Amino acid sequence: MREAAAVNAAAWNHQALSAGNPDGQTVGRLELTQYPGHGPGIELLGDVKGLRVVELGCGRGHNLAALAAAGAYCVGVDIAAEQIRWARAAWPHINFYAADALDYLADAPPADLYLSIFGAVGLCEPGLLLRVLATTLHPQARLIFATPDPGWLADRSGWLSSPGGRQFPVRRWPLTLPQWLGQIEEAGLMACGHLVVDQPGTQQPCTMIVTVERRPAGGRPC
Ligand SMILES: C[S@@+](CC[C@H](N)C(=O)[O-])C[C@H]1O[C@@H](n2cnc3c(N)ncnc32)[C@H](O)[C@@H]1O
């Protein structure tokens, strides 16, 4: 396993083991920021009915549950096997794979929408993941990723705190928005839109949400 993937799997496996019982979950809102109920939700994705959606770094699958309820065909991928165990128990109607996003994408059937909500985009080496996505995305497919603003992460960048108060090292790439846009361009992809969401009640950014498409030969506006 790649070094970053191994470190991150250990942290998020532990988090899943502390997450309580997966039975009897109810479907909530699709959350694209760190603050439940804050910022855009499923409407940002447009009509997802009938779309094949893959979430890279799906965690315990809550966002996929919201998408499946809206009629999307959902696949969840996560490096942490315990997150996937929990997700499968909570949402048996969704397909989940315990895998590194990089490995899954190398050998996956095509999808219409790839999502990373604080997931693999930002937790894998960005150039590597975006180059794999540049070969995976078909011309009508999109990648939408939400990632924490580096200022919001601050000294939380290298650690994940567990409910029991323990801290686990994590490996992130906390890029700024211009750095993300540069990485997208370098990978041969095209950023079609971006949004910065502030923390509730402040003007301090917490989340960057970026929409990416494949760049056709000769380029075109999104
Ligand atoms: C902050 S959690 C986000 C979970 C979920 N997307 C959400 O919004 O609740 C990050 C997740 O990404 C997963 N992850 C980290 N690196 C990954 C990789 N290389 N491939 C797949 N999943 C990865 C972690 O195991 C973790 O479950």
Side-chain angles (χ1 to χ4, degrees), residues 12 55 57-59 63 78-80 83 99-101 117-119 123-124:
W12 272 287
E55 189 182 357
C58 62
N63 283 319
D78 202 286
I79 190 75
Q83 297 277 354
D100 188 329
I117 304 173
F118 309 113
L123 295 170
C124 285

Side-chain angles (χ1 to χ4, degrees), residues 39-61:
I42 200 166
E43 72 287 349
L44 189 93
L45 313 185
D47 184 6
V48 296
K49 192 162 187 223
L51 294 189
R52 186 177 156 86
V53 179
V54 174
E55 189 182 357
L56 304 168
C58 62
R60 298 196 298 283

Side-chain angles (χ1 to χ4, degrees), residues 6-179:
V7 170
N8 289 338
W12 272 287
N13 271 330
H14 184 84
Q15 190 207 50
L17 289 169
S18 330
N21 192 333
D23 294 342
Q25 296 295 310
T26 52
V27 177
R29 178 179 184 268
L30 181 111
E31 299 290 355
L32 291 166
T33 78
Q34 301 88 328
Y35 300 93
H38 179 62
I42 200 166
E43 72 287 349
L44 189 93
L45 313 185
D47 184 6
V48 296
K49 192 162 187 223
L51 294 189
R52 186 177 156 86
V53 179
V54 174
E55 189 182 357
L56 304 168
C58 62
R60 298 196 298 283
H62 293 89
N63 283 319
L64 287 174
L67 285 160
Y73 301 108
C74 294
V75 173
V77 180
D78 202 286
I79 190 75
E82 293 300 337
Q83 297 277 354
I84 292 296
R85 197 189 311 275
W86 197 102
R88 284 186 180 135
W91 322 110
H93 55 298
I94 297 178
N95 287 321
F96 290 101
Y97 296 94
D100 188 329
L102 285 162
D103 297 330
Y104 174 84
L105 288 170
D107 193 24
D112 304 300
L113 176 60
Y114 296 87
L115 287 177
S116 170
I117 304 173
F118 309 113
V121 178
L123 295 170
C124 285
E125 203 274 304
L128 198 55
L129 182 57
L130 290 170
R131 278 198 305 279
V132 173
L133 280 161
T135 61
T136 309
L137 254 66
H138 65 70
Q140 280 77 44
R142 291 172 292 161
L143 161 69
I144 299 181
F145 69 86
T147 190
D149 182 89
W152 180 88
L153 274 174
D155 55 5
R156 283 175 280 211
S157 183
W159 301 97
L160 181 71
S161 299
S162 77
R166 281 176 68 188
Q167 288 200 314
F168 289 82
V170 292
R171 186 79 173 88
R172 294 181 202 271
W173 279 262
L175 305 190
T176 62
L177 184 58
Q179 288 171 329

